[in-house]
Amino acid sequence: MAEVEAVQLKEEGNRHFQLQDYKAATNSYSQALKLTKDKALLATLYRNRAACGLKTAASDASRAIDINSSDIKALYRRCQALEHLGKLDQAFKDVQRCATLEPRNQNFQEMLRRLNTSIQEKLRVQFSTDSRVQKMFEILLDENSEADKREKAANNLIVLGREEAGAEKIFQNNGVALLLQLLDTKKPELVLAAVRTLSGMCSGHQARATVILHAVRIDRICSLMAVENEEMSLAVCNLLQAIIDSLSGEDKREHRGKEEALVLDTKKDLKQITSHLLDMLVSKKVSGQGRDQALNLLNKNVPRKDLAIHDNSRTIYVVDNGLRKILKVVGQVPDLPSCLPLTDNTRMLASILINKLYDDLRCDPERDHFRKICEEYITGKFDPQDMDKNLNAIQTVSGILQGPFDLGNQLLGLKGVMEMMVALCGSERETDQLVAVEALIHASTKLSRATFIITNGVSLLKQIYKTTKNEKIKIRTLVGLCKLGSAGGTDYGLRQFAEGSTEKLAKQCRKWLCNMSIDTRTRRWAVEGLAYLTLDADVKDDFVQDVPALQAMFELAKTSDKTILYSVATTLVNCTNSYDVKEVIPELVQLAKFSKQHVPEEHPKDKKDFIDMRVKRLLKAGVISALACMVKADSAILTDQTKELLARVFLALCDNPKDRGTIVAQGGGKALIPLALEGTDVGKVKAAHALAKIAAVSNPDIAFPGERVYEVVRPLVRLLDTQRDGLQNYEALLGLTNLSGRSDKLRQKIFKERALPDIENYMFENHDQLRQAATECMCNMVLHKEVQERFLADGNDRLKLVVLLCGEDDDKVQNAAAGALAMLTAAHKKLCLKMTQVTTQWLEILQRLCLHDQLSVQHRGLVIAYNLLAADAELAKKLVESELLEILTVVGKQEPDEKKAEVVQTARECLIKCMDYGFIKPVS
């Protein structure tokens, strides 16, 4: 009983202490000391009572100081109490004041030195990485820590894990074991912090990644990724990606200092990761989010990134061990009770994976093997007794048709497939009709296939459309009809349906698109319909005038359902006419008419003024914010083909220079950079061209804020290629001119990207505008030290080219070349002498510059003359003996008005230089 009472008295004392009632606290501790013999409790009680004494001493001393601020004894007593309480910085201030009042007191001086040393040591320990790591884990693992302290510690740990030195410190200080303890807490915010820290530690370090993979275990990582929480699932996906990159050598980060430990062959670990990801696809315990992340990882890491690499063993392994699992995901029907947990994106991700795997196969035997697995899986599902299995089979064919279409087309020819699709269309169950109609839509993709289905399927779709009362089925049958109606493409003369039918279909699609009471997945099909129908110019013109429908489409593009991306991108490509159009050769048209062949016709509303009007309306409706959101989609559904479509749209929107400010203001410049760096070759060129258009006329600091501006350089330099057209070359040069005028760091980046030889090549061009743009770019580039060194080097004609361009008839070329020469001769005396040796025409060209009608050119010529005069006395003498002296005298004697002030001043400076040499004398 006595021991229990002692503990209660200790708690009572603690409460008094917190309320700063130190007398009552001392009383409680003293009573408790009389009741206990427990050594641990005795030590705590004595320590607490001592703290009360120190607190009382500090408090009493403070009261004395309040009465008399110069009470040196009170200051010293408080300083001693504060030192014992560990408040070193406050104690230091008190003793500092004491030493000021009595500078010769040795006790004060000694205490100042001691406290200073203690404070420095405390700070060193406090800010050492080891101590910080330890402190963070203590806070995170202490259940009594305050919430904001834990949050701060978690964020600090994540940041530390991303730095090489910090990651190594965490690793060396038993960090992995402590992070596993955080995972064991099952508290989402702590687990998330641990996962993100591990992710940073794995990046670019094969040895650490291997240890972490084995310590955490792949099955545990996958179970964490399988959760419903989207943020958690994505964080674990990033951790796995960091591990895969490090093990496969994809993350080629530069390491300094100590080398990495040697790691054994990582193929076994990579295979184990792939195997677990494939198992996740068919597990009922895995959430839809988890399944999506597993598919994203497989999409990103299994197929070869470059088909020139011979080894496709990862794809072969997945085909042999996982294709059936992927087909199972593709064949899921959301309305059936046996369906796995899915998101709106899951089936599309699986279709994309099938497509990537099929494209990654190297030879016909591999493709035949792939096809046989698909055939066996589908035919194995057909069962007259079980309609759900038949439904899964048709859904699988439908999914494959969205992936490798030629394979899907072959599977349509399988016995029973088309018959089953027709039978399901006639079924009374709405789920059967939904699956069948979707399969019919995906089957009718090519013109040849569409003509076959027009004779068989149109009547079937019309029948369903008329009889069904279900909006979901109605929309899908309408899309099927839209698709068949657009089989003629943009050809005005090759319409499949009667006049006005296509517009009616489009009007119905727009109506459904704006109906917010219909679910997102079904409204998506309305966009799918418009993607086909907007090939018709009347439809696209009506659509861009329907602002609510446009904005409804843009809002859908921003949702979590990423399967809509391709349809929205296609619709926008059609509305902006940014698809490729074959050039019409008049002679061939005449020949075709003569032989009574069909000649493609252009719709009147596909002419440029109509396209420009549509672009204006799209920009006004907020298309840029939708495009920027689509580009950010971190999903395999954003395929290279979709990126190309987005790049085409951006290029069409950037066509008018007046619109580029709006595009920049809404984040278009930033959104274009990833499109210019990744995707198809055509897509990258289109995006780079759009970037060039923006970079040519915009302030780079606003268009591409921060470090992003350096990412713009590479795409622009890639446009300086003879395979690109003249407009692309020209606008790339304008963009680089604008960038090179901003800072030396940007000039260095352009130089490092090896743009200099290309810029020089275009300075030789016969085309006036290209030559002018290249010369203007060089005028800015010569400010960079390394470019000047190229001009100084022997054995090249760079300086000669610039001097000769100064003698061109084109004023703009002359202006740019004279600017470059003025800066080069100002930077190096050697170049002044070299200029006189590269061509015999140098003096004549210089005189022409100094007499030029344009004041900017004349000023640059006079600056060159001054640089030559200042460089060398012999050279100056040569210039004075020529007609240049007369030119300088005439210009220098002019009355300097506001426009001519710089020109006259420079000419006078040249004459003063001649006087300094003693070549001429002033007239009194």
Side-chain angles (χ1 to χ4, degrees):
M1 286 296 288
E3 291 292 338
V4 173
E5 196 178 340
V7 172
Q8 287 173 348
L9 281 164
K10 185 197 87 166
E11 296 300 330
E12 186 185 282
N14 290 350
R15 283 195 294 277
H16 288 310
F17 190 91
Q18 282 169 352
L19 294 167
Q20 296 182 358
D21 188 350
Y22 304 122
K23 195 173 181 182
T26 305
N27 223 2
S28 298
Y29 294 141
S30 298
Q31 285 180 41
L33 282 164
K34 293 171 185 175
L35 297 171
T36 184
K37 290 180 181 177
D38 183 289
K39 286 183 179 178
L41 185 56
L42 282 168
T44 305
L45 289 165
Y46 280 124
R47 187 168 63 243
N48 288 2
R49 193 168 71 173
C52 285
L54 290 166
K55 284 279 186 185
T56 306
S59 179
D60 289 348
S62 294
R63 286 197 182 97
I65 293 162
D66 289 340
I67 296 163
N68 178 9
S69 60
S70 300
D71 188 336
I72 202 159
K73 286 186 177 178
L75 279 166
Y76 190 57
R77 295 279 181 273
R78 188 171 72 175
C79 167
Q80 288 173 314
L82 288 169
E83 184 186 7
H84 286 294
L85 286 166
K87 296 183 178 181
L88 302 180
D89 49 343
Q90 291 177 36
F92 187 80
K93 283 178 185 174
D94 280 353
V95 77
Q96 212 171 22
R97 207 150 154 227
C98 290
T100 308
L101 292 167
E102 286 189 19
R104 294 184 181 179
N105 189 316
Q106 288 302 311
N107 288 338
F108 297 161
Q109 295 299 334
E110 179 55 40
M111 195 162 196
L112 261 178
R113 276 194 293 274
R114 190 175 75 250
L115 282 174
N116 185 41
T117 307
S118 300
I119 288 168
Q120 294 304 322
E121 180 59 23
K122 187 181 176 183
L123 287 170
R124 191 188 66 76
V125 171
Q126 193 177 333
F127 290 105
S128 72
T129 313
D130 292 7
S131 168
R132 279 162 67 203
V133 170
Q134 213 59 43
K135 189 80 176 162
M136 286 173 209
F137 280 118
E138 279 172 21
I139 295 167
L140 289 168
L141 293 167
D142 181 5
E143 290 189 6
N144 300 320
S145 297
E146 293 168 25
D148 58 336
K149 276 190 175 179
R150 291 179 92 166
E151 189 183 344
K152 193 177 177 183
N155 289 334
N156 288 342
L157 198 63
I158 294 164
V159 171
L160 206 59
R162 287 176 186 158
E163 300 165 6
E164 176 54 34
E168 194 57 33
K169 285 289 180 190
I170 296 171
F171 192 74
Q172 298 294 348
N173 283 284
N174 197 31
V176 177
L178 292 167
L179 287 165
L180 286 173
Q181 283 183 45
L182 286 182
L183 293 177
D184 291 335
T185 62
K186 303 278 196 306
K187 291 181 180 175
E189 70 280 5
L190 296 183
V191 174
L192 206 55
V195 167
R196 286 174 174 162
T197 307
L198 287 166
S199 195
M201 290 169 69
C202 290
S203 295
H205 201 294
Q206 204 176 71
R208 275 203 304 265
T210 308
V211 171
I212 288 167
L213 177 65
H214 289 277
V216 185
R217 297 191 328 276
I218 182 63
D219 55 330
R220 187 174 188 182
I221 294 172
C222 289
S223 66
L224 280 170
M225 194 164 75
V227 297
E228 198 65 56
N229 183 326
E230 187 179 354
E231 192 180 12
M232 178 71 74
S233 192
L234 183 60
V236 181
C237 174
N238 290 336
L239 166 60
L240 256 181
Q241 187 59 58
I243 291 172
I244 292 167
D245 285 345
S246 295
L247 295 185
S248 60
E250 290 289 329
D251 189 342
K252 299 198 169 53
R253 199 184 288 182
E254 207 175 294
H255 294 283
R256 293 183 187 142
K258 198 186 290 185
E259 286 185 25
E260 280 189 62
L262 285 171
V263 178
L264 296 170
D265 189 15
T266 58
K267 283 181 184 174
K268 189 179 175 185
D269 287 331
L270 288 167
K271 193 171 274 190
Q272 193 185 22
I273 292 169
T274 307
S275 176
H276 273 80
L277 290 173
L278 291 168
D279 290 342
M280 280 183 77
L281 299 185
V282 289
S283 169
K284 281 222 163 191
K285 293 176 183 175
V286 176
S287 69
Q289 289 294 343
R291 213 176 310 280
D292 283 5
Q293 299 305 347
L295 284 163
N296 273 326
L297 285 166
L298 290 166
N299 265 306
K300 192 170 181 182
N301 298 294
V302 173
R304 290 170 292 172
K305 288 179 178 62
D306 182 3
L307 294 178
I309 300 165
H310 191 69
D311 180 23
N312 69 340
S313 56
R314 281 186 290 193
T315 295
I316 299 298
Y317 175 78
V318 170
V319 170
D320 290 341
N321 298 280
L323 183 54
R324 289 172 185 81
K325 293 171 184 175
I326 302 163
L327 291 170
K328 184 174 179 178
V329 176
V330 165
Q332 293 299 298
V333 180
D335 299 329
L336 295 182
S338 60
C339 183
L340 295 166
L342 307 173
T343 69
D344 294 328
N345 302 321
T346 311
R347 289 187 61 249
M348 179 61 82
L349 284 167
S351 292
I352 289 165
L353 180 56
I354 289 172
N355 189 46
K356 285 188 172 182
L357 293 172
Y358 190 73
D359 286 348
D360 200 43
L361 300 173
R362 291 177 318 187
C363 56
D364 287 343
E366 287 179 2
R367 282 184 276 274
D368 289 341
H369 175 59
F370 192 100
R371 193 191 73 250
K372 278 174 189 167
I373 293 173
C374 294
E375 286 177 359
E376 285 167 15
Y377 182 84
I378 291 161
T379 50
K381 284 280 176 189
F382 284 139
D383 186 347
Q385 308 301 318
D386 190 342
M387 205 56 177
D388 287 0
K389 278 190 169 183
N390 295 328
L391 211 55
N392 288 134
I394 296 303
Q395 187 81 316
T396 307
V397 174
S398 183
I400 294 170
L401 282 162
Q402 290 175 78
F405 184 77
D406 57 336
L407 174 64
N409 234 345
Q410 287 176 319
L411 296 173
L412 282 174
L414 277 177
K415 190 181 177 185
V417 171
M418 287 300 287
E419 292 85 346
M420 183 56 72
M421 280 162 68
V422 173
L424 288 171
C425 281
S427 167
E428 290 181 7
R429 196 165 64 156
E430 287 179 342
T431 305
D432 298 348
Q433 289 185 14
L434 274 173
V435 170
V437 170
E438 285 188 21
L440 270 174
I441 294 166
H442 296 311
S444 54
T445 297
K446 299 276 171 86
L447 185 60
S448 57
R449 176 59 57 188
T451 51
F452 164 73
I453 289 179
I454 280 172
T455 54
N456 297 274
V458 170
S459 55
L460 198 64
L461 289 171
K462 281 184 178 176
Q463 185 63 34
I464 297 169
Y465 185 72
K466 285 172 186 172
T467 55
T468 187
K469 289 178 183 175
N470 187 326
E471 291 281 275
K472 293 180 180 180
I473 294 170
K474 243 183 168 41
I475 291 177
R476 284 162 174 77
T477 51
L478 185 75
V479 172
L481 291 166
C482 293
K483 199 167 184 181
L484 299 172
S486 67
T490 56
D491 186 352
Y492 182 48
L494 195 64
R495 288 183 160 196
Q496 296 288 328
F497 293 152
E499 190 75 38
S501 298
T502 312
E503 285 91 324
K504 282 180 189 172
L505 289 172
K507 195 174 179 182
Q508 188 59 56
C509 280
R510 298 205 314 266
K511 189 177 165 187
W512 273 321
L513 183 58
C514 296
N515 187 348
M516 298 299 169
S517 61
I518 301 172
D519 66 287
T520 308
R521 195 157 149 249
T522 307
R523 283 168 62 219
R524 188 193 89 210
W525 282 96
V527 182
E528 188 98 5
L530 287 165
Y532 301 118
L533 292 174
T534 46
L535 285 164
D536 185 295
D538 286 318
V539 171
K540 60 180 117 173
D541 219 55
D542 291 343
F543 180 46
V544 294
Q545 289 178 52
D546 187 346
V547 177
L550 270 182
Q551 289 178 339
M553 182 176 81
F554 296 157
E555 287 308 311
L556 276 178
K558 296 174 188 177
T559 62
S560 59
D561 181 358
K562 300 304 173 195
T563 55
I564 200 170
L565 294 179
Y566 189 80
S567 306
V568 174
T570 306
T571 306
L572 290 171
V573 163
N574 293 341
C575 289
T576 54
N577 284 48
S578 46
Y579 42 72
D580 289 328
V581 180
K582 285 183 181 176
E583 190 183 346
V584 177
I585 301 165
E587 291 83 357
L588 288 178
V589 172
Q590 292 299 322
L591 193 64
K593 283 180 179 175
F594 180 74
S595 58
K596 296 182 180 176
Q597 295 291 318
H598 173 74
V599 178
E601 296 175 42
E602 187 187 37
H603 195 290
K605 288 183 181 175
D606 275 331
K607 292 192 167 25
K608 192 169 188 325
D609 50 347
F610 280 95
I611 297 167
D612 291 346
M613 190 57 71
R614 287 199 288 271
V615 165
K616 284 264 185 287
R617 287 191 169 127
L618 285 169
L619 285 167
K620 198 174 177 183
V623 67
I624 297 297
S625 61
L627 289 170
C629 196
M630 290 163 77
V631 170
K632 286 178 192 166
D634 186 18
S635 168
I637 293 174
L638 184 63
T639 58
D640 288 350
Q641 287 71 28
T642 308
K643 287 178 187 173
E644 183 186 316
L645 294 178
L646 295 175
R648 286 174 181 275
V649 175
F650 265 119
L651 182 57
L653 296 172
C654 290
D655 192 49
N656 188 338
K658 290 177 183 175
D659 296 330
R660 293 174 200 170
T662 310
I663 292 165
V664 166
Q666 294 177 11
K670 292 178 280 185
L672 269 167
I673 295 170
L675 295 177
L677 296 172
E678 291 176 3
T680 63
D681 290 340
V682 172
K684 286 191 283 191
V685 169
K686 300 272 183 197
H689 191 188
L691 271 178
K693 284 178 181 288
I694 289 171
V697 297
S698 308
N699 179 344
D701 299 336
I702 296 169
F704 318 106
E707 296 295 306
R708 284 194 186 94
V709 71
Y710 301 104
E711 295 176 50
V712 178
V713 173
R714 184 171 293 171
L716 297 193
V717 172
R718 283 180 185 160
L719 280 183
L720 298 181
D721 191 316
T722 48
Q723 291 180 334
R724 309 279 163 255
D725 64 45
L727 184 63
Q728 290 171 341
N729 297 155
Y730 177 66
E731 291 185 315
L733 284 165
L734 290 185
L736 288 169
T737 303
N738 197 6
L739 293 177
S740 58
R742 300 305 296 178
S743 70
D744 196 57
K745 204 172 173 188
L746 271 167
R747 288 190 282 274
Q748 185 181 21
K749 176 70 177 167
I750 294 168
F751 182 80
K752 288 269 165 68
E753 289 293 339
R754 297 175 183 169
L756 206 65
D758 293 318
I759 297 167
E760 286 170 347
N761 285 342
Y762 287 108
M763 287 167 75
F764 283 105
E765 267 288 335
N766 290 326
H767 195 288
D768 289 346
Q769 284 177 299
L770 275 175
R771 193 164 71 251
Q772 173 205 324
T775 311
E776 285 175 353
C777 190
M778 184 59 80
C779 180
N780 285 346
M781 286 300 294
V782 295
L783 286 166
H784 185 56
K785 190 183 171 186
E786 289 177 88
V787 176
Q788 292 170 8
E789 285 169 5
R790 293 288 180 97
F791 277 89
L792 282 165
D794 295 326
N796 69 72
D797 289 333
R798 285 189 180 89
L799 192 65
K800 182 179 180 179
L801 172 63
V802 174
V803 174
L804 292 174
L805 285 173
C806 289
E808 285 279 315
D809 293 333
D810 188 320
D811 289 351
K812 288 180 179 176
V813 172
Q814 261 189 314
N815 195 41
L821 195 57
M823 284 184 279
L824 286 167
T825 51
H828 296 279
K829 287 183 180 179
K830 186 182 173 184
L831 289 173
C832 296
L833 298 168
K834 192 175 180 181
M835 176 184 160
T836 64
Q837 297 159 5
V838 289
T839 173
T840 53
Q841 299 169 5
W842 70 272
L843 189 56
E844 184 191 334
I845 290 168
L846 181 60
Q847 288 168 357
R848 277 178 63 194
L849 288 177
C850 294
L851 285 167
H852 207 281
D853 298 338
Q854 263 195 27
L855 291 175
S856 62
V857 179
Q858 188 181 19
H859 178 242
R860 292 174 183 203
L862 291 165
V863 170
I864 297 165
Y866 178 82
N867 293 339
L868 297 182
L869 287 165
D872 181 71
E874 282 298 314
L875 179 55
K877 190 178 179 184
K878 195 173 183 180
L879 288 170
V880 169
E881 288 168 356
S882 72
E883 291 173 8
L884 187 68
L885 179 62
E886 195 179 329
I887 295 167
L888 292 172
T889 308
V890 170
V891 176
K893 280 182 178 178
Q894 291 177 9
E895 282 301 317
D897 58 21
E898 199 176 312
K899 289 180 181 176
K900 290 183 178 179
E902 277 187 325
V903 171
V904 174
Q905 181 59 31
T906 310
R908 288 175 180 177
E909 283 173 7
C910 290
L911 291 167
I912 291 165
K913 199 71 185 165
C914 295
M915 283 161 58
D916 291 345
Y917 283 124
F919 297 147
I920 59 171
K921 289 178 183 177
V923 179
S924 57

